[in-house]
Amino acid sequence: MTTLNPVDVFRMEADELLACLETTLLDLGEKPQDRALIDTAFRALHTIKGSGAMFGFERVAAFTHDFETAFDLVRQGRVAASVDLVNVALSAKDYIRQLIDDPDGAEPIFGQAILDELGTLVGRATGRAEAAPESAEGPVPERAAEPAPREAAGRETGWRIGLAFAPEVLRNGTNPLALLDDLRDLGPCEVVARLDAVPDLAALDPGALAIGWDVTLRAAVAREAIEDVFLFVQDEMTLSLAQLGGEADAPAPAPAEPAPAQEPVAAAAPVVVPLAPQAASAPPAPPGARAGARRSEERSASTVRVEAERLDELMDRVGELVIAQARLSQLAGLHADAGIKSVAEEIERLSARLRDTTMSIRMVPIGALFGRFRRLVHDLSRDLGKPVEFVTEGEDTELDKTVIERLADPLVHLIRNAIDHGIEDPARRAGSGKGATGRITLSAEHAGAQVRVSVRDDGAGLDAARIRAKAEEKGLVTPGAALSDQQIYQFLFAPGFSTAATISALSGRGVGMDVVKKTIEGLRGTIDITTAPGAGTTVTLRLPLTLAIIEGLLIRVGEGRYVVPLSAVEECVELPEGDRAGRGRDFLNIRGALVPFLRLRALFEAGGEPDPYQKVIIVSVGETRVGLLVDQIIGNHQTVIKSLSKLHADVATFSGATILGDGTAALIIDVGRLVSGGQAEMPREYQEVA
């Protein structure tokens, strides 16, 4: 059994903290007076610094400490959180990520430049002109002196601090020595260990902490600065504080006996802050108390980190189980034994539950992906000089983790194009009667067994004539050819196609939308484009919920069996007798609407005579409705998707294969590509109906 490397655990936790920091800084740019956002950013920095030092990332700890020191001035209210400060803080966050991901590749000169700029901003805001002191990464802003706890002449200032941790604190990943180092950063400290609670060697538990500490901090710092050091371990310790130089300057009482809450506390008496009553004493707890602590810890552990590879392996095993269950059900149907049928039904019920549970484990809210693009929009808006408001909708919509991972790059290209090509500059927007700030809306919603992800802008919309002219120039279409607007818009996804007049850092090479199309088709999804001149453009991605197991409709065409994804099926009708002989393509009247249909026997070159009563499966691809003529509809089928071999990689009509209950294979039809290929062979009048 493999265990996670502690360094890998730190990197995962750091990713979450850095994501939180980025989101908080972006919010802070919009609401610079929000104290809660400032405190959240400071806590994230403090945690990264402490964890980095604990796991040996010394450069991370050093740089973050300097960054945190400057940001502490914002927290004190001495420096305002400006847009420039937020931009520098975002650059610092990027540098911290580089220090974590690739310590050797992170150039110290970049860290120095960031801290230089940060020091300049802070110095300007506080009215200082002197240079910031040097650090491991470069100059840093001077730390502001904390207000003294007492201002009496001739009296010593500082604090007596008593520390007692819960016995399980080491097992939970906390390093008390690192916390003592944080106290030393506040000023000169005298640290004395309490050893009276250490048990005899025979009773010593190496994983349990039985040592406490008494610390004398001789520095004029505020109580909040000390409490912040222990902010993230407050549930695992007891902290007692007493000011030096008071009238009753006595040692802090032992945390094992905190003062009762109902007793009044004299002004000069030591102040005890009980952060965790259950962990008030350092000696090992009795067995009953330990059991209670374990139960409490288990309740708090609501999530468990699992490697993605294990989830993928579990999904593969569930897929094999589903196939075996289908074979068992088929064999049970051939026997009259009621016992075998009962067992087969029970296994079918259990495997269905296991399948649903496993698939739900793989489902991730898409909001985690949406949050990444706030920084992209922020940077593009600044670089292009276009004020842009970024709005997200449907963040709770869940999608398979594999789909979400592969969806990031296409959305980056779509959002970049929307801002670069779609949103006009403020002058043009003013001339069109629009507000100076553009709007990008990223939304997601469930639609049956699919998820629709849309990128919408309120820009100028697509210019079909300009796109067509560029397509003719590149030889993608012959001049004068009859094309609908939707067909013209599809040229945007052609390799090397771009309407940009010049090549820039953002556009002009024609590779972005090509990547979008290939990735979405690889996910068995489709792309729809709707636009209105002067009102903007919407690009909608239709994606399957999962890539592993789908519900399908099992059909027969000739002697071959195929699966049509149930999410694309609208209805099934019988082919009217008068339409049974045709030219390989025709259309039906479905409740007053003309629906063209494709004869799959002709497309798949199936031999033999067609069935006397053929069926038409009405499928939808975006706004298009098309019928698929088949010999027989066998029924619903729980489809475990298997990839095709490399020899069949260029077969666009099928997206994969599945194994049926009798052990034979059935190809899974890619409805979008099948309809696109079939429409290309239709006469013009049929394409217009579709």
Side-chain angles (χ1 to χ4, degrees):
M1 177 179 175
T2 60
T3 57
L4 289 177
N5 187 325
V7 173
D8 294 336
V9 173
F10 164 70
R11 285 196 168 102
M12 288 189 289
E13 292 179 348
D15 282 343
E16 296 174 0
L17 289 166
L18 289 172
C20 171
L21 179 62
E22 180 175 280
T23 301
T24 303
L25 290 173
L26 291 171
D27 288 338
L28 190 60
E30 300 171 0
K31 296 179 284 187
Q33 303 302 321
D34 194 322
R35 291 290 309 173
L37 292 175
I38 295 172
D39 291 340
T40 300
F42 190 83
R43 284 195 296 268
L45 287 170
H46 191 74
T47 305
I48 292 171
K49 180 186 75 172
S51 299
M54 184 184 305
F55 289 98
F57 288 81
E58 298 298 337
R59 291 182 64 191
V60 172
F63 179 83
T64 308
H65 173 73
D66 298 336
F67 181 20
E68 177 191 38
T69 301
F71 203 82
D72 191 33
L73 297 176
V74 180
R75 185 164 167 262
Q76 296 175 35
R78 301 187 61 188
V79 175
S82 63
V83 173
D84 290 339
L85 185 64
V86 168
N87 288 335
V88 176
L90 287 170
S91 299
K93 170 255 163 190
D94 292 339
Y95 186 69
I96 293 172
R97 182 179 292 279
Q98 187 179 9
L99 284 173
I100 294 173
D101 293 342
D102 184 16
D104 296 332
E107 294 290 343
I109 188 172
F110 296 125
Q112 289 179 359
I114 292 170
L115 292 174
D116 258 337
E117 189 172 358
L118 188 60
T120 301
L121 288 172
V122 171
R124 186 189 309 140
T126 56
R128 296 178 186 170
E130 67 271 16
E134 295 290 327
S135 76
E137 290 289 342
V140 298
E142 181 181 335
R143 183 180 179 91
E146 299 282 359
R150 288 185 181 271
E151 301 245 346
R155 286 183 180 173
E156 188 179 15
T157 59
W159 299 89
R160 291 192 185 278
I161 307 169
L163 305 177
F165 293 89
E168 301 294 325
V169 69
L170 297 177
R171 293 190 178 97
N172 294 338
T174 299
N175 184 356
L177 298 182
L179 299 176
L180 291 174
D181 288 340
D182 288 341
L183 285 179
R184 292 187 179 96
D185 290 341
L186 298 178
C189 289
E190 298 172 6
V191 181
V192 178
R194 294 199 211 120
L195 304 177
D196 54 311
V198 177
D200 295 335
L201 185 60
L204 183 65
D205 181 359
L209 181 65
I211 302 176
W213 286 272
D214 291 319
V215 181
T216 302
L217 172 61
R218 303 185 186 280
V221 298
R223 176 196 307 278
E224 290 77 10
I226 299 173
E227 292 175 346
D228 283 345
V229 171
F230 306 98
L231 184 64
F232 300 100
V233 292
Q234 58 184 354
D235 294 332
E236 300 176 306
M237 68 170 296
T238 295
L239 171 68
S240 63
L241 295 174
Q243 294 177 356
L244 291 178
E247 295 177 3
D249 186 11
E257 300 176 0
Q262 68 271 19
E263 294 182 9
V265 180
V271 181
V272 179
V273 185
L275 298 180
Q278 73 276 12
S281 59
R290 288 185 179 180
R294 282 195 298 270
R295 287 193 295 269
S296 176
E297 183 179 349
E298 289 169 1
R299 285 194 299 270
S300 65
S302 57
T303 59
V304 178
R305 293 186 184 274
V306 179
E307 293 177 346
E309 291 78 7
R310 294 191 180 186
L311 286 181
D312 294 337
E313 185 177 355
L314 176 61
M315 195 71 244
D316 291 340
R317 298 293 180 267
V318 171
E320 299 298 331
L321 177 62
V322 169
I323 293 172
Q325 174 269 316
R327 297 192 65 183
L328 176 61
S329 297
Q330 186 174 29
L331 292 174
L334 301 177
H335 294 79
D337 192 322
I340 294 179
K341 291 184 177 180
S342 176
V343 171
E345 291 173 357
E346 180 68 10
I347 292 178
E348 181 178 2
R349 180 179 64 82
L350 293 174
S351 64
R353 286 188 179 182
L354 180 60
R355 177 205 63 184
D356 295 340
T357 301
T358 305
M359 289 177 62
S360 68
I361 293 174
R362 292 169 58 95
M363 293 296 179
V364 179
I366 203 169
L369 175 64
F370 283 6
R372 303 182 195 176
F373 303 118
R374 292 189 60 195
R375 175 70 181 280
L376 174 68
V377 174
H378 173 274
D379 292 348
L380 289 176
S381 174
R382 179 193 60 201
D383 296 342
L384 296 174
K386 298 179 179 180
V388 178
E389 177 188 9
F390 183 57
V391 180
T392 58
E393 300 172 352
E395 295 95 332
D396 294 335
T397 305
E398 292 188 335
L399 200 57
D400 189 289
K401 71 172 187 67
T402 305
V403 178
I404 286 183
E405 289 168 359
R406 295 170 62 182
L407 192 58
D409 285 346
L411 288 179
V412 166
H413 289 296
L414 291 177
I415 292 173
R416 285 165 62 105
N417 273 6
I419 297 177
D420 191 20
H421 297 295
I423 301 292
E424 313 97 325
D425 57 59
R428 287 187 58 193
R429 290 181 67 86
S432 303
K434 298 180 180 180
T437 301
R439 186 184 180 95
I440 299 289
T441 303
L442 181 59
S443 63
E445 62 178 347
H446 284 290
Q450 290 183 318
V451 170
R452 284 199 295 257
V453 180
S454 301
V455 178
R456 182 169 68 253
D457 66 69
D458 66 345
L462 296 178
D463 187 341
R466 184 180 177 189
I467 296 172
R468 180 185 181 110
K470 196 71 175 181
E472 291 178 355
E473 177 186 328
K474 287 185 167 292
L476 299 176
V477 62
T478 57
L483 295 174
S484 65
D485 285 348
Q486 283 297 325
Q487 289 173 316
I488 292 175
Y489 298 151
Q490 293 304 311
F491 289 127
L492 294 172
F493 301 105
F497 187 90
S498 176
T499 58
T502 59
I503 295 177
S504 68
L506 293 177
S507 61
R509 299 190 184 276
V511 295
M513 299 300 277
D514 179 30
V515 171
V516 172
K517 184 177 179 64
K518 287 182 178 179
T519 303
I520 299 305
E521 287 181 347
L523 293 172
R524 301 197 312 275
T526 58
I527 306 175
D528 300 331
I529 298 179
T530 56
T531 186
T537 301
T538 301
V539 180
T540 302
L541 312 178
R542 300 175 186 269
L543 301 161
L545 282 174
T546 179
L547 300 179
I549 299 177
I550 63 171
E551 293 291 340
L553 193 64
L554 186 61
I555 63 173
R556 181 177 60 81
V557 177
E559 297 299 323
R561 288 180 289 180
Y562 306 89
V563 175
V564 180
L566 205 56
S567 60
V569 177
E570 288 193 355
E571 59 182 311
C572 301
V573 298
E574 187 172 314
L575 182 67
E577 186 174 353
D579 296 325
R580 290 175 188 169
R583 298 169 297 167
R585 56 185 77 89
D586 219 322
F587 61 87
L588 297 173
N589 186 339
I590 305 294
R591 293 182 293 280
L594 292 179
V595 178
F597 65 87
L598 305 173
R599 298 178 182 269
L600 296 191
R601 289 185 63 88
L603 289 176
F604 295 167
E605 299 180 356
E609 292 295 323
D611 282 23
Y613 301 100
Q614 293 179 291
K615 307 295 187 295
V616 180
I617 303 170
I618 307 299
V619 297
S620 60
V621 180
E623 303 300 324
T624 302
R625 299 176 73 217
V626 175
L628 305 179
L629 183 62
V630 304
D631 287 324
Q632 181 186 4
I633 298 175
I634 299 174
N636 289 358
H637 185 267
Q638 200 174 91
T639 304
V640 179
I641 302 172
K642 301 291 185 181
S643 300
L644 296 176
S645 68
K646 294 182 179 180
L647 295 175
H648 303 89
D650 58 343
V651 180
T653 307
F654 305 106
S655 59
T658 186
I659 301 175
L660 302 178
D662 59 3
T664 61
L667 294 173
I668 301 171
I669 295 176
D670 188 326
V671 175
R673 294 188 180 184
L674 176 66
V675 170
S676 298
Q679 282 183 313
E681 299 179 5
M682 288 183 176
R684 171 69 178 172
E685 61 270 19
Y686 291 103
Q687 296 182 27
E688 291 177 347
V689 171

